[in-house]
């Protein structure tokens, strides 16, 4: 089988995509290099002193893992030199990261979660880097946050690197979803999953059910539906929850299913659940829609939400189209009651 590298794939599709210029290829190549460096370090975890906490707490109020901090530094270091970005934002940084004056700037805005699922790292569970790329309006310097807060529908590319049994890149530029696997012997991502389509109805539901007592009635009804027979499959779904969004998402993307992280009453400061709109929900929503699936906060399409803050949280129901429709149906009925 002829093996296509991710760069070849990009160049082949460059003509089809209005935004895929040489600059975009440059951006993605730099992102790939950063991910290869992170992948190398993740695969050594346990052998070198990269496990455990740094002792710091991030902007989200969460303990910072050493690998989290490492991944964040690698990405910022690489990407601020790319010459095509006007600003960077990371789940780990409270504010946008401005491109230092000594580096050229461009009109792309990159936002990422450097190491999603990182609370699982010490147990050797799959983690990943989720990214989302926008193009800012003409004349915008990228200095003001308000210029960078855009609806997910405006993303020009999004995807993730999954550091698992192998390292994968899954991404979309709005023309389907393609998966590449890193061949460590040649150091290249090779096309392994062209044109990924997710099943219209899944077999798996993924949720942290321990929060049951913090959920409202419609949310409990939804989870009960997937455990019972009043669902698109007509029989109970299997439960699978790794607790690493990017890994749970990837499995469901390939096999079909729904991932749920609803709003809950655990922490009055986080009434919208835990996941972040800009660096988690939007990129994965773009991927799933391009693969034939759907993503909602229970009422609106994730990609239609106008963000108000950089670290805004959002309830997330994402996966197979019919399964997400079931969620919308139950919440819709509850709103009318
Ligand atoms: P983590 O804190 O380990 O980075 O985005 C945060 C996230 O993981 C997701 O990857 C994961 O799906 C979720 O949190 C798990 O949260 P719960 O422990 O509340 O289930």
């Amino acid at each position: 089988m002829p093996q296509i590298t991710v760069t070849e794939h990009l160049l082949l599709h460059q003509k089809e995509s209005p935004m895929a210029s040489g600059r975009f290829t440059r951006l993605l190549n730099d992102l790939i290099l950063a991910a290869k460096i992170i992948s190398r370090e993740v695969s050594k975890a346990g052998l070198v002193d990269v496990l455990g906490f740094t002792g710091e707490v991030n902007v989200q109020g969460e303990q910072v893992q050493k690998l989290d901090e490492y991944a964040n530094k690698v990405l910022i270091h690489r990407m601020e030199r790319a010459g095509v970005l006007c600003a960077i934002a990371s789940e780990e940084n409270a504010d946008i990261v401005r491109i230092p004056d000594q580096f050229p700037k461009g009109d792309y805005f990159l936002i990422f979660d450097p190491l999603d699922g990182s609370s699982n790292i010490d147990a050797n569970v799959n983690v990943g880097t989720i990214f989302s790329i926008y193009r800012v309006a003409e004349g915008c310097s990228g200095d003001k946050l308000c210029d960078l807060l855009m609806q997910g529908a405006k993303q020009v590319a999004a995807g993730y690197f999954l550091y698992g049994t192998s390292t994968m890149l899954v991404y979309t530029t709005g023309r389907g979803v393609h998966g590449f696997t890193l061949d460590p012997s040649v150091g290249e991502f090779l096309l392994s999953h062209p044109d990924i389509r997710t099943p219209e109805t899944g077999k798996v539901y993924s949720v942290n059910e321990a929060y049951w007592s913090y959920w409202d009635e419609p949310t409990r009804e939804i989870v009960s539906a997937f455990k019972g027979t009043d669902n698109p499959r007509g029989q109970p779904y299997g439960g699978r929850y790794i607790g690493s969004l990017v890994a749970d998402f990837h499995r469901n993307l390939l096999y079909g299913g729904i991932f749920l992280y609803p709003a809950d009453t655990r922490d009055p400061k986080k009434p919208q659940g835990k996941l972040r709109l800009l660096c988690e929900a939007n990129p994965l929503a773009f991927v799933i829609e391009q693969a034939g699936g759907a993503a909602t906060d229970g009422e609106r399409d994730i990609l239609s939400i106008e963000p108000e803050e950089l670290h805004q949280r959002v309830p997330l129901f994402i996966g197979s189209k019919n399964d997400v429709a079931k969620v919308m149906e139950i919440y819709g009925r509850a709103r009318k009651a």
Side-chain angles (χ1 to χ4, degrees):
M1 184 178 90
Q3 299 196 305
I4 300 183
T5 68
V6 63
T7 315
E8 278 170 323
H9 189 264
L10 260 176
L11 293 171
L12 280 172
H13 290 80
Q14 197 159 295
K15 284 186 230 92
E16 295 166 21
S17 173
M19 43 65 61
S21 59
R23 290 175 309 113
F24 177 75
T25 308
R26 169 91 206 266
L27 198 177
L28 208 69
N29 274 332
D30 278 329
L31 204 53
I32 287 169
L33 178 55
K36 283 183 194 169
I37 297 170
I38 297 167
S39 172
R40 185 191 63 197
E41 232 40 41
V42 168
S43 66
K44 285 194 296 198
L47 296 173
V48 290
D49 183 28
V50 288
L51 292 178
F53 299 113
T54 62
E56 283 170 25
V57 171
N58 71 7
V59 54
Q60 319 286 341
E62 296 156 352
Q63 294 262 21
V64 178
Q65 297 272 352
K66 286 185 196 164
L67 266 177
D68 242 337
E69 189 181 76
Y70 177 81
N72 199 36
K73 278 192 184 149
V74 169
L75 280 159
I76 292 176
H77 176 88
R78 267 271 54 87
M79 299 317 297
E80 65 187 8
R81 286 162 173 73
V84 294
L85 294 174
C86 62
I88 300 172
S90 161
E91 190 210 279
E92 295 297 322
N93 294 66
D95 298 316
I96 50 171
V97 179
R98 294 185 170 80
I99 307 298
D101 287 341
Q102 69 262 38
F103 303 127
K105 285 190 187 177
D107 57 359
Y108 287 106
F109 168 52
L110 170 71
I111 177 161
F112 52 77
D113 179 352
L115 214 54
D116 178 68
S118 58
S119 64
N120 299 285
I121 295 173
D122 291 10
N124 208 356
V125 167
N126 300 359
V127 291
T129 299
I130 306 177
F131 63 89
S132 166
I133 300 167
Y134 295 82
R135 213 163 176 175
V136 295
E138 216 171 306
C140 164
S141 64
D143 283 348
K144 288 196 278 347
L145 179 61
C146 57
D147 293 336
L148 303 173
L149 291 179
M150 286 174 266
Q151 264 184 337
K154 300 219 169 101
Q155 290 172 105
V156 293
Y160 53 88
F161 295 90
L162 182 63
Y163 313 112
T165 42
S166 51
T167 294
M168 276 195 78
L169 161 64
V170 173
Y171 85 101
T172 183
T173 55
R175 276 149 210 271
V177 178
H178 308 286
F180 300 80
T181 303
L182 181 63
D183 180 341
S185 64
V186 288
E188 289 279 4
F189 279 96
L190 302 176
L191 183 63
S192 52
H193 297 65
D195 287 314
I196 299 173
R197 302 294 297 169
T198 201
E200 292 200 346
T201 299
K203 293 186 184 141
V204 161
Y205 79 105
S206 313
V207 67
N208 191 338
E209 223 167 316
Y211 302 141
W212 179 274
S213 58
Y214 297 108
W215 293 336
D216 60 17
E217 263 319 306
T219 305
R220 290 179 190 168
E221 193 187 325
I222 287 164
V223 174
S224 298
F226 289 113
K227 290 163 68 159
T229 54
D230 178 19
N231 58 48
R233 194 172 174 227
Q235 53 178 296
Y237 285 46
R240 296 280 186 281
Y241 190 72
I242 300 170
S244 170
L245 171 64
V246 65
D248 278 309
F249 175 86
H250 184 69
R251 181 205 51 239
N252 292 3
L253 172 73
L254 298 185
Y255 301 159
I258 182 158
F259 177 93
L260 311 94
Y261 207 114
D264 61 52
T265 57
R266 251 177 314 156
D267 180 349
K269 283 195 246 125
K270 298 175 191 163
Q272 297 303 307
K274 183 180 183 187
L275 302 180
R276 273 62 46 140
L277 173 63
L278 291 169
C279 59
E280 294 175 312
N282 272 342
L284 298 184
F286 191 19
V287 170
I288 203 77
E289 287 205 1
Q290 284 294 314
T296 176
D297 67 349
E299 190 173 2
R300 302 164 289 179
D301 274 356
I302 290 291
L303 296 181
S304 73
I305 300 173
E306 291 284 355
E308 286 162 19
E309 293 170 36
L310 191 54
H311 295 288
Q312 184 169 334
R313 292 174 197 264
V314 70
L316 180 63
F317 306 89
I318 187 165
S320 295
K321 201 160 71 181
N322 296 336
D323 300 341
V324 173
K326 182 73 191 168
V327 170
M328 304 275 285
E329 176 204 311
I330 296 177
Y331 277 131
R333 211 182 322 116
R335 276 193 301 274
K336 281 191 201 127

